[in-house]
Amino acid sequence: MADNKKTSILFIYTGGTIGMVQDQDTGALKPFRFDNILEEVPELRKFGFNLSSYAFNPPLDSSNISPDAWIKIAGIIEQNYHSFDGFIVLHGTDTMAFSASALSFMLENLGKPVIFTGSQLPIGSLRTDAKENLISSVEIAAAVKNGEPLVPEVGIFFENRLYRGNRTTKNNTEDFNAFMSGNYPPLAESGVHIRYNYSAIRYATHEPLIVHQKLDERLLILKLFPGISRQVVESAFSIGGIRAVILETFGAGNAPEHDWFIQLVKEACGQGIIVMNVTQCNTGSVEMGMYETSRRLAVAGVVNGRDITTEAAVTKLMYLTGVSDDPAWIVKHLSMSLRGEMTV
Ligand code: ASP
């Protein structure tokens, strides 16, 4: 545990269910004033940390989160990077996996914890999961070993697990356990103690933090289904200015073998549109060439997304196409694991 007097944590409250309380008169859920967090969760005082907060105004339901909000979060972290030991981003669960993935790419050489959390029930409700999520996130964000942060990563803490943010997907609208990380083990699990999985955590190189704030949103996800028509595929690839298409494929990266389909993909790749193969499955990897149905995609110029999540693929592409206009450079970096987002 860090020297309590010196440990300081910055909360960045973006919105979401976690920040809701019940209006005493109407019973309806409304956002609470985040500067009153210590009144809502007085247990936080027991840490004895210096806790500060920055609240989005108005708070956003996470369905309204956009790259502008990610740029804002990254900017707040950059401005406060040297004054705080850790950062906690309170966020709606619906798009949390996208936001955590985006921040992982935007914060190059991150050397401090950035822990996203939220809740399924509002902080003001009796059975809320918010308090536990919040308290454990604070403990993780403050944890140090030999004077160094224990988890210098963008993570998502939910229920009893800390996941690498860019490996997560929201997979449950109902349970307190709302997220999964199908292809990477938890970075920590909380029970009586918080047990850290040291060998799974990425440790920083101690290079200075670089914050990337240019994201290019001109991409789309084309989810395949049996019967997808030529017209649909053609329209997707011919959207003006489109720079990248994520092909969400079947199983281990398979797609229909129709000549028209392969031809359209090939033409798109030839025009410098990045086409990336990401599986529709939550667990497991694309294996281009395992079946004829994926071998033809590889020949057409499609990039192997391996075991990346769709959320990480979207945000990695936004980041890389924001940095460069050169398709060869983008493909090269897409194929590398930049922040531990895929297994290579
Ligand atoms: N719709 C909410 C949001 O994502 C749900 C939640 O917070 O869990 O902002």
Side-chain angles (χ1 to χ4, degrees), residues 76-229:
I76 296 167
I77 293 173
E78 183 175 29
Q79 279 157 24
N80 293 284
Y81 194 65
H82 297 293
S83 316
F84 290 87
D85 298 295
F87 301 86
I88 294 184
V89 183
L90 295 146
H91 194 290
T93 55
D94 291 348
T95 62
M96 191 187 288
F98 284 94
S99 297
S101 299
L103 265 294
S104 77
F105 297 115
M106 295 167 82
L107 303 173
E108 187 174 350
N109 302 329
L110 180 67
K112 296 189 176 184
V114 174
I115 311 298
F116 278 71
T117 195
S119 64
Q120 294 280 59
L121 281 177
I123 205 157
S125 92
L126 210 51
R127 287 193 309 107
T128 187
D129 52 330
K131 290 189 181 187
E132 239 179 271
N133 287 347
L134 200 54
I135 291 166
S136 299
S137 297
V138 170
E139 186 161 339
I140 290 168
V144 292
K145 196 178 174 192
N146 303 327
E148 298 283 336
L150 236 166
V151 190
E153 289 217 34
V154 179
I156 288 186
F157 183 85
F158 225 81
E159 170 75 342
N160 63 340
R161 294 208 172 106
L162 175 73
Y163 292 124
R164 175 171 296 157
N166 58 32
R167 290 287 195 157
T168 59
T169 295
K170 181 173 179 181
N171 71 329
N172 202 312
T173 60
E174 187 74 12
D175 286 359
F176 285 159
N177 197 354
F179 289 89
M180 67 173 293
S181 166
N183 290 322
Y184 201 73
L187 305 183
E189 289 187 66
S190 74
V192 173
H193 302 288
I194 297 183
R195 291 185 308 278
Y196 292 92
N197 186 359
Y198 296 104
S199 61
I201 299 170
R202 254 181 123 234
Y203 284 99
T205 55
H206 293 103
E207 299 292 321
L209 177 75
I210 301 170
V211 179
H212 299 273
Q213 302 208 349
K214 239 181 124 210
L215 301 169
D216 193 327
E217 298 150 38
R218 290 175 294 169
L219 61 95
L220 67 89
I221 302 170
L222 183 61
K223 182 167 185 159
L224 301 182
F225 55 91
I228 190 167
S229 71

Side-chain angles (χ1 to χ4, degrees), residues 273-275 301 303 320 326-336:
I273 297 176
I274 313 293
V275 185
V303 184
L320 291 176
D326 175 9
W329 184 90
I330 297 167
V331 167
K332 177 175 162 209
H333 288 83
L334 263 186
S335 309
M336 295 160 52

Side-chain angles (χ1 to χ4, degrees), residues 278-290:
V278 176
T279 173
Q280 294 178 10
C281 299
N282 280 331
T283 304
S285 183
V286 164
E287 291 188 49
M288 304 253 283
M290 183 176 177

